[in-house]
């Protein structure tokens, strides 16, 4: 038996239907826009095609035994709350669950290998999705989704698939943290981290003393104290918020605890996705503790806002031929970028960092107001 393409499409008053056990196919758009249909049982060996239940009134569904979840099959099913997927599903195709705003439960079978474009877009109520290490994703397949996601970043996936995701990202305990490099730009300001390596406030991922990711885009207090135990800050790891006007609450002071030794290139980056203009508000101050020893990359403070970098060590950290600030400042001298060092170490810093000599002057945290000590 077959239910052909569009067989019951737009039957808005259809409330109940009995699918015979002999049915082996439900065609594309067969029950599309059947808005009064709340429940439906499909035989285990039946094959379901694209958009079969799109915009229907289904509240729950047990998927039959097939290898993929078709494109748009549940798209915009506004009453759908749960879907049970069988082991053996290897792919969830494009827009399969998009705009299912009440969907709160979908199990992910171990057999799954591929997620399609916007598959879970705008699933606002979905509480948890846990993916294995072999699943591949396109960009933006979780845009508008909240809740919790565990997935494995790697060189093929990156974290750009979390662009638009506004929930909690659980970094798996057995994942390779090196693949987090340069991924923070794709994370929305609402994202928090969870799992073994997440900081208590959910803003940082720290593995074996290395800070791989930190999200401060929405931080609304004047001072942020990075968790203790950080020895090295990796490249492109810290996403700052862009700065607003002087009347806004801006992050002004950034502290690392004593024990920090090393920082990579473009470690700090300000995000201008919310507004593409240049901001002239509070200029952040970052304190490098006495333990700090070296920079390992160029333009560490990489953003279009001014900086004050305060060094407490008498011995200049290694900088080599790198620039501490983004070269943007060469053309915008009105934006302050100052390097403050102990008074009796000014000459040593200028000699060690000739490319930054004009920015180096005596000073410390006592130059600034309203900060709280952190060790």
């Amino acid at each position: 038996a077959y239910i052909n393409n569009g067989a019951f499409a737009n039957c808005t008053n259809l409330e109940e239907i009995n699918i015979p056990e002999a049915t082996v196919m439900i065609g594309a758009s067969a029950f599309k826009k059947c808005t009064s249909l709340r429940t439906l049982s499909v035989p285990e060996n039946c094959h379901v095609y694209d958009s079969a239940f799109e915009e229907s009134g289904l509240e729950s569904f047990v998927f039959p035994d097939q290898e993929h979840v078709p494109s748009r099959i549940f798209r915009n099913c506004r009453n759908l709350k749960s879907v049970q997927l069988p082991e053996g599903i290897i792919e969830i195709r494009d827009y399969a669950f998009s705009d299912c705003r009440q969907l709160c439960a979908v199990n992910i079978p171990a057999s799954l290998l591929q997620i399609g474009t916007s598959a879970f877009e705008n699933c606002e109520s979905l509480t948890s999705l846990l993916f294995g290490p072999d699943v591949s994703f396109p960009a933006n397949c979780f845009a508008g989704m909240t809740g919790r996601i565990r997935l494995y970043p790697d060189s093929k996936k990156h974290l750009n698939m979390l662009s638009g995701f506004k929930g909690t990202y659980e970094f798996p305990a057995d994942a390779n943290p090196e693949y987090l490099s340069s991924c923070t730009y794709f994370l929305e300001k609402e994202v928090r981290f969870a799992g073994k390596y997440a900081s208590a406030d959910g803003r940082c991922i720290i593995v074996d003393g290395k800070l791989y990711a930190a999200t401060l885009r929405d931080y609304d207090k004047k001072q942020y104290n990075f968790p203790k135990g950080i020895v090295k800050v990796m490249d492109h790891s810290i996403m700052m918020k862009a700065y607003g006007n002087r009347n806004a609450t801006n992050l002004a002071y950034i502290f690392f605890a004593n024990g920090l030794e090393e920082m990579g290139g473009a470690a700090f980056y300000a995000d201008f996705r919310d507004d593409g203009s240049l901001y002239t508000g509070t200029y952040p101050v970052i304190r490098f503790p006495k333990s700090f020893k070296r920079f390992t990359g160029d333009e560490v403070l990489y953003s279009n806002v001014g900086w004050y970098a305060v060094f407490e060590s008498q011995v200049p950290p290694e900088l080599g031929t790198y620039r501490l600030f983004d070269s943007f400042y060469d053309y915008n001298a009105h934006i302050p970028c100052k390097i403050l060092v102990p008074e009796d170490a000014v000459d040593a810093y200028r000699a060690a960092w000739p490319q930054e000599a004009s920015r180096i002057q005596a000073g410390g945290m006592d130059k600034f107001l309203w900060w709280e000590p952190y060790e």
Side-chain angles (χ1 to χ4, degrees), residues 124-143:
E124 299 173 342
S125 303
L126 198 52
T127 57
S128 182
L129 289 175
L130 309 177
F131 298 99
D134 299 321
V135 184
S136 295
F137 309 85
N140 301 316
C141 57
F142 304 107

Side-chain angles (χ1 to χ4, degrees), residues 43-361:
E44 187 174 306
N45 295 321
C46 183
H47 193 92
V48 184
Y49 285 84
D50 294 350
S51 300
F53 308 110
E54 184 176 0
E55 298 185 64
S56 72
L58 285 179
E59 295 180 349
S60 63
F61 192 79
V62 178
F63 215 83
D65 186 13
Q66 64 184 66
E67 290 189 343
H68 66 272
V69 177
S71 299
R72 303 177 302 278
I73 183 171
F74 300 114
R75 187 177 188 177
N76 203 22
C77 287
R78 303 198 173 193
N79 299 318
L80 190 66
K81 295 180 176 63
S82 67
V83 173
Q84 181 70 33
L85 300 179
E87 191 63 39
I89 290 282
I90 62 174
E91 181 181 7
I92 297 174
R93 293 182 174 171
D94 300 348
Y95 300 97
F97 298 98
S98 67
D99 294 300
C100 292
R101 297 179 184 271
Q102 292 195 57
L103 182 65
C104 56
V106 178
N107 66 300
I108 302 299
S111 56
L112 187 69
L113 298 176
Q114 182 72 42
I115 301 290
T117 299
S118 300
F120 292 95
E121 185 177 23
N122 295 326
C123 289
E124 299 173 342
S125 303
L126 198 52
T127 57
S128 182
L129 289 175
L130 309 177
F131 298 99
D134 299 321
V135 184
S136 295
F137 309 85
N140 301 316
C141 57
F142 304 107
M145 178 185 159
T146 58
R148 186 184 183 106
I149 290 178
R150 185 189 69 198
L151 51 81
Y152 291 72
D154 66 19
S155 57
K156 295 178 181 178
K157 302 170 204 169
H158 217 259
L159 284 188
N160 59 357
M161 84 286 287
L162 289 181
S163 182
F165 171 67
K166 298 180 179 182
T168 298
Y169 169 54
E170 178 184 342
F171 180 69
D174 57 342
N176 184 348
E178 299 295 333
Y179 292 129
L180 290 172
S181 178
S182 304
C183 288
T184 52
Y185 185 80
F186 297 102
L187 301 179
E188 300 298 323
K189 58 187 177 184
E190 297 88 352
V191 167
R192 294 294 178 268
F193 301 122
K196 177 180 179 180
Y197 298 114
S199 59
D201 63 0
R203 292 187 176 273
C204 303
I205 294 179
I206 304 167
V207 184
D208 297 330
K210 297 178 181 179
L211 177 67
Y212 284 93
T215 175
L216 300 177
R217 279 183 63 200
D218 65 334
Y219 196 74
D220 60 358
K221 298 180 176 61
K222 63 183 174 62
Q223 179 170 324
Y224 185 73
N225 300 332
F226 275 95
K228 295 179 180 180
I230 297 175
V231 178
K232 180 176 181 178
V233 176
M234 306 300 287
D235 297 355
H236 298 274
S237 56
I238 302 168
M239 181 57 68
M240 300 282 291
K241 69 176 178 179
Y243 287 80
N245 60 54
R246 286 183 171 83
N247 296 320
T249 301
N250 290 321
L251 175 57
Y253 302 109
I254 301 167
F255 281 75
F256 285 94
N258 204 41
L260 177 69
E261 298 182 359
E262 190 172 322
M263 186 170 289
F268 286 82
Y269 197 97
D271 194 335
F272 290 87
R273 281 178 286 178
D274 297 328
D275 188 327
S277 61
L278 176 65
Y279 293 89
T280 57
T282 304
Y283 301 115
V285 180
I286 178 172
R287 187 201 69 166
F288 293 88
K290 292 180 180 179
S291 59
F292 190 73
K293 296 180 180 179
R294 68 185 65 86
F295 295 99
T296 57
D298 206 355
E299 299 176 341
V300 174
L301 306 181
Y302 187 82
S303 60
N304 295 345
V305 290
W307 286 90
Y308 289 91
V310 179
F311 292 88
E312 297 194 336
S313 174
Q314 297 281 344
V315 179
E318 298 173 21
L319 182 60
T321 59
Y322 294 136
R323 297 293 301 268
L324 185 59
F325 297 108
D326 183 2
S327 56
F328 174 88
Y329 302 113
D330 294 341
Y331 308 101
N332 292 271
H334 64 283
I335 298 179
C337 288
K338 300 296 184 182
I339 299 171
L340 304 184
V341 303
E343 185 172 1
D344 53 356
V346 171
D347 291 341
Y349 272 83
R350 288 176 176 170
W353 301 354
Q355 70 274 34
E356 300 286 9
S358 64
R359 308 185 193 279
I360 297 171
Q361 60 188 51

